[in-house]
Amino acid sequence: MNMNRVLLWLVCLGFGSLGNASAEIRPASLFQDHMVLQRDMPVPVWGTADPGETVTVRIAGQTKTAVVDSSSHWKVTLDPMPASFEGAAMTISAGSETSGIQFDDVVVGDVWICSGQSNMQMGYGGIQELKDLESSAKNIRSFHVKNTVSFEEAETCGGTWKVEVPSSAVAFGFAYFLEEAIEAPVGIILTAWGSSSLEAWMPRDMTESVPHFKTMMDEFDADEETRQNIQRILDGPRPWKGGEDIFLRRQTNILYNAMMHPLAPYACRGLVWYQGERNTQSMAGMLKKPWFSRNSGMLIYGDVMKEWIKRYRQEWGNDDLHFLVVMLPGYFGKKLPTGPRAVDAESPDAHSWAWMRESQLQTLDLPHVSVANTIDLGDVKNVHPKDKLPVGKRLALLAQRDVLAMDVVAEGPVMQKVDRDGGELVVHFTNANGLKTTDGADPMGFWLADESQKWVRAEAKLDGNTVKLRSSELSSPLYVRYAFAGKPSVNLVNEAGLPARPFRSDDFQP
């Protein structure tokens, strides 16, 4: 390690300041040894240095320069590079110096940010089928963003690029199956923290587009006791106590400031998002108690998330930045908001996670968004199910089809339309080649209703690539709901074995 890199390391740890112009170069946190740069697209490289200085970045035959602005910031943009498994060196220097800071073993491949709450953070150590993949994993690198918070948008974050798979079960599975399918290294940037709400990952300026978020931020700014408690925890000893950790990660905005903002605009294919559980504590949102339920709730989550996706694309300066969203799997293990209706794991008329899934699917209104269907997965009583391998596999298939334009079957049957045929309803699907059930029985999970809004189980029969529905309790059914429950029993798949997407054909309000 040369002297400039030693000095840079000392500055990052707070042990001193660099004494000359070239030593004052401070690249952004993600630029390190063993990093993965994004292939086939422009690659920003940025940092800080003395105003007026000229910074030069060199890698793979490219030389780019930039003059540091009056706020001490600089940025160059590398030309698109092809994938490379062979590690190269990147040097960043100032003025006439040619050596500067050097980062070694830099490869070029596909980079994905994996973020969300506990089911993204959850490790794979207790999942044997993922542990069995460790020995065959290759060409995967990871950067785990240190969990912390900040009152202001931070320019740096903690973390180190490692030549090893990510600790997250979902991120590892995704990276493993993606790397198997492409001729390129895969880099995973993992930034996740359990029990965090969508609002925890929102920049402050979204108060302009999301009214309830403005209310939350106004309350946060006025709550001096909470702010002092946060600062006390940050100033105190590490590791934090359990209650302190939980208190920090359930706040609004300040996770984004510390754990997402420093990553932009690092070039990447997109962001994998597994979050939503924290926002399921109410239907309409903004509960007063408990305090950490001050969030969107299930019914408006979809609209808020669409605003969030658009804002992140602005942050990265990339309208094509792809979002892979993990649908919440089956769960009904604790009391959920019930309203006037009975709570039942199979009922299509309960205030259940079905409404959150519907909100998540609303993000498909935007281009460059995919949703991984997990309706056949999950655990009725465990909010942290272990069946993470199929989640990673389905995410990788979506990335192959929707981002890399590969010819793969990436999702199961999707309702196209519902026709009435006498006393029956006929459901037509896309992605339905080889429509079948996993157990050879009739399809499960279908319910029918008429204008009375009383839902009854349907008798379902396969007919080619359609499903015909009827019920002896309804002479003229009008509406159908499929897998629209907390933890439905389902068996309908296509020839690829991928599950049919939940849906409802009615517009009844909960």
Side-chain angles (χ1 to χ4, degrees):
M1 183 180 289
N2 64 33
M3 182 56 67
N4 281 344
R5 294 183 68 188
V6 172
L7 291 170
L8 173 68
W9 178 72
L10 291 172
V11 166
C12 291
L13 292 180
F15 292 135
S17 60
L18 303 181
N20 56 62
S22 62
E24 286 286 353
I25 304 171
R26 291 176 291 277
S29 303
L30 287 168
F31 296 97
Q32 301 180 3
D33 292 341
H34 313 302
M35 63 183 155
V36 183
L37 299 180
Q38 177 59 50
R39 62 172 172 157
D40 302 332
M41 67 174 61
V43 175
V45 182
W46 74 97
T48 59
D50 288 342
E53 187 63 88
T54 298
V55 173
T56 302
V57 178
R58 297 179 176 88
I59 185 174
Q62 294 192 49
T63 299
K64 301 290 183 179
T65 62
V67 176
V68 183
D69 66 20
S70 59
S71 64
S72 300
H73 292 90
W74 58 269
K75 183 174 78 170
V76 305
T77 302
L78 301 173
D79 298 329
M81 295 174 283
S84 174
F85 295 95
E86 183 177 351
M90 173 189 283
T91 61
I92 305 176
S93 57
S96 60
E97 185 171 303
T98 58
S99 56
I101 301 166
Q102 179 169 310
F103 299 121
D104 296 318
D105 189 32
V106 179
V107 297
V108 183
D110 275 357
V111 179
W112 286 87
I113 298 170
C114 292
S115 188
Q117 56 180 106
S118 55
N119 273 305
M120 176 59 82
Q121 189 179 11
M122 179 178 170
Y124 62 87
I127 305 174
Q128 191 59 48
E129 59 183 351
L130 280 168
K131 287 187 67 177
D132 290 343
L133 299 180
E134 280 183 299
S135 60
S136 57
K138 57 184 179 180
N139 301 316
I140 299 172
R141 301 184 179 195
S142 59
F143 182 103
H144 189 171
V145 177
K146 181 181 178 182
N147 287 3
T148 190
V149 299
S150 173
F151 289 114
E152 305 295 334
E153 293 181 347
E155 292 192 352
T156 63
C157 64
T160 304
W161 276 105
K162 296 182 179 180
V163 187
E164 59 186 48
V165 302
S167 58
S168 158
V170 169
F172 172 35
F174 168 66
Y176 182 91
F177 292 109
L178 182 61
E179 194 279 334
E180 271 197 330
I182 64 175
E183 293 296 322
V186 172
I188 298 294
I189 301 169
L190 179 63
T191 180
W193 207 349
S195 73
S196 54
S197 65
L198 175 61
E199 289 77 5
W201 299 94
M202 289 168 60
R204 177 177 282 269
D205 60 21
M206 284 191 67
T207 55
E208 301 171 7
S209 58
V210 181
H212 84 267
F213 183 57
K214 182 180 188 308
T215 299
M216 292 175 67
M217 292 309 302
D218 287 345
E219 292 173 344
F220 180 78
D221 291 342
D223 189 349
E224 190 61 31
E225 181 180 353
T226 290
R227 296 176 67 87
Q228 289 179 359
N229 195 22
I230 292 168
Q231 192 62 56
R232 176 191 61 78
I233 295 170
L234 293 175
D235 292 341
R238 304 283 183 97
W240 298 313
K241 298 176 182 178
E244 294 174 333
D245 184 282
I246 293 171
F247 182 74
L248 290 178
R249 69 198 196 206
R250 290 182 173 179
Q251 300 295 334
T252 185
N253 168 250
I254 58 178
L255 275 68
Y256 165 84
N257 289 343
M259 298 177 61
M260 190 66 76
H261 184 264
L263 309 182
Y266 196 81
C268 59
R269 287 287 187 191
L271 190 147
V272 182
W273 182 247
Y274 192 160
Q275 191 278 332
E277 300 92 337
R278 174 55 51 199
N279 293 74
T280 63
Q281 292 176 297
S282 67
M283 296 294 283
M286 296 300 283
L287 296 181
K288 292 184 177 180
K289 294 181 180 180
W291 65 269
F292 49 81
S293 294
R294 299 288 277 175
N295 56 53
S296 68
M298 292 191 282
L299 295 182
I300 65 170
Y301 182 92
D303 288 335
V304 177
M305 192 171 172
K306 285 188 284 187
E307 292 299 317
W308 178 80
I309 289 171
K310 289 186 285 187
R311 177 61 182 81
Y312 269 46
R313 287 174 175 165
Q314 292 176 6
E315 190 77 0
W316 262 263
N318 181 3
D319 290 338
D320 296 335
L321 188 69
H322 203 92
F323 282 75
L324 295 174
V325 179
V326 180
M327 178 189 293
L328 292 192
Y331 172 71
F332 216 76
K334 67 178 182 179
K335 187 175 181 181
L336 294 166
T338 60
R341 301 187 178 101
V343 172
D344 181 86
E346 295 276 350
S347 171
D349 199 26
H351 287 189
S352 69
W353 279 15
W355 300 96
M356 173 56 84
R357 298 182 196 111
E358 183 175 79
S359 275
Q360 291 178 309
L361 288 167
Q362 290 173 17
T363 60
L364 295 173
D365 294 343
L366 298 178
H368 310 299
V369 177
S370 310
V371 177
N373 183 4
T374 63
I375 196 60
D376 58 329
L377 306 176
D379 187 308
V380 69
K381 292 185 178 181
N382 188 352
V383 75
H384 301 121
K386 290 188 175 183
D387 48 3
K388 294 291 194 287
L389 184 143
V391 178
K393 185 177 290 187
R394 292 172 194 179
L395 287 166
L397 286 171
L398 289 169
Q400 291 169 57
R401 186 193 68 180
D402 297 343
V403 183
L404 302 175
M406 299 172 67
D407 185 15
V408 298
V409 179
E411 63 182 332
V414 176
M415 187 272 283
Q416 182 182 36
K417 64 178 181 176
V418 178
D419 290 334
R420 291 184 65 188
D421 184 8
E424 293 184 332
L425 295 184
V426 182
V427 184
H428 300 258
F429 295 92
T430 59
N431 302 319
N433 287 342
L435 190 67
K436 61 183 179 180
T437 58
T438 55
D439 54 4
D442 291 333
M444 299 185 294
F446 287 92
W447 294 70
L448 297 172
D450 56 20
E451 291 294 355
S452 70
Q453 300 189 34
K454 177 184 177 183
W455 292 94
V456 298
R457 287 188 184 272
E459 299 171 24
K461 298 291 182 181
L462 287 171
D463 184 12
N465 287 346
T466 69
V467 175
K468 292 187 174 182
L469 307 171
R470 65 180 304 275
S471 170
S472 60
E473 300 180 55
L474 295 175
S475 59
S476 299
L478 298 174
Y479 309 106
V480 55
R481 289 184 177 183
Y482 169 70
F484 202 84
K487 183 68 173 72
S489 296
V490 294
N491 60 354
L492 187 63
V493 298
N494 60 10
E495 62 183 355
L498 294 169
R501 182 190 294 174
F503 70 90
R504 65 185 182 115
S505 65
D506 65 279
D507 59 1
F508 301 147
Q509 296 301 306

